[in-house]
Amino acid sequence: MRHVLIALFVVCMLPACVSTKTVKADVPALQQAGHQTVIVSKRELPSFGAVTAGKAGFGLIGAAAIISAGNTIVRENQIEDPAVAIADGLSRALAEKLSVPVRLADGLLDSTNPAAMAKQYPGAGLLLDVQTVNWSFAYFPADWNNYRVIYSVKLRLIDTRTGKLVAEGFCARVPEYSDDAPSHEQLLGNSAAELKARLKRSGEQCQEELKSQTLGLT
């Protein structure tokens, strides 16, 4: 049972757990629609999972410890949610393509329903929502001394005038074992520099993937 929580963390990184369908934006249609702005949503900082061997075998208590430890790591090392940088890059690229300005939304978004999201920002033009689905690190099942950094993110683009979803995509990074897999100490040393670097790299890769495959921008 020790690996059950790890399995749950990893399985829900995959597209099947969140969305199996990519809705690609129709860029020419968006250009013709006359949207006045691209607004970028703000969400609460998501919980981070720190899966260590000592916490993975105690059911719900272990799950709570995983989240508590992860959130402490994020707070003490001031680790930024990669979704913020992804949203910034994608919104700028989209706004440039549509020749409209970008602005950050007022208030936190807590819904994932397109119609409800549009109601929160009526008349805002296009709402770009980039939401971290999971960020965590976990030891490898066959190597408890080394870790992989897992990241997944979902993108939604909403026409706030109609409340309809015009684009949707999902990106996940669940690394396989490699010789450079860091130990727990290496991952968190120097203010979690290695953890930050690996999250940043995954965020940059997902930004490029979502930019081309979901927003249709090159």
Side-chain angles (χ1 to χ4, degrees):
M1 295 298 291
R2 177 177 293 273
H3 302 306
V4 170
L5 288 174
I6 293 180
L8 289 175
F9 267 94
V10 172
V11 167
C12 282
M13 299 307 98
L14 303 177
C17 187
V18 180
S19 174
T20 57
K21 182 179 180 181
T22 295
V23 179
K24 191 170 184 177
D26 185 340
V27 176
L30 293 178
Q31 290 174 315
Q32 294 173 10
H35 295 287
Q36 298 300 306
T37 186
V38 173
I39 186 170
V40 181
S41 70
K42 290 194 296 183
R43 289 188 178 271
E44 257 189 321
L45 186 68
S47 290
F48 186 93
V51 185
T52 59
K55 295 184 177 68
F58 299 98
L60 293 177
I61 294 175
I66 285 168
I67 295 301
S68 177
N71 289 344
T72 297
I73 290 169
V74 168
R75 182 177 64 255
E76 292 183 347
N77 294 284
Q78 299 180 324
I79 302 174
E80 295 185 358
D81 180 2
V84 175
I86 295 172
D88 180 66
L90 294 180
S91 63
R92 291 176 184 274
L94 181 60
E96 181 179 356
K97 187 70 174 180
L98 302 180
S99 299
V100 299
V102 177
R103 71 179 179 88
L104 188 62
D106 297 321
L108 293 175
L109 185 64
D110 58 9
S111 176
T112 58
N113 177 272
M117 294 164 69
K119 284 182 179 179
Q120 187 168 343
Y121 305 114
L126 289 171
L127 172 64
L128 178 67
D129 178 47
V130 179
Q131 180 182 17
T132 290
V133 175
N134 185 297
W135 56 338
S136 59
F137 64 72
Y139 63 91
F140 289 91
D143 181 359
W144 294 6
N145 296 316
N146 293 292
Y147 289 75
R148 59 181 165 190
V149 177
I150 299 165
Y151 184 69
S152 65
V153 61
K154 184 161 185 173
L155 176 153
R156 300 177 187 86
L157 187 64
I158 312 295
D159 184 337
T160 63
R161 296 178 302 188
T162 64
K164 292 183 178 180
L165 183 78
V166 295
E168 182 177 34
F170 180 79
C171 176
R173 291 293 181 268
V174 185
E176 298 293 333
Y177 183 81
S178 62
D179 291 338
D180 68 342
S183 67
H184 189 268
E185 291 74 19
Q186 291 170 332
L187 198 61
L188 299 183
N190 191 24
S191 299
E194 183 67 20
L195 174 57
K196 291 175 182 176
R198 289 174 183 259
L199 285 170
K200 183 175 184 290
R201 183 161 65 244
S202 291
E204 290 171 344
Q205 291 171 354
C206 280
Q207 179 177 316
E208 289 305 309
E209 182 176 314
L210 293 170
K211 181 180 178 181
S212 61
Q213 296 185 14
T214 304
L215 295 183
L217 304 173
T218 56

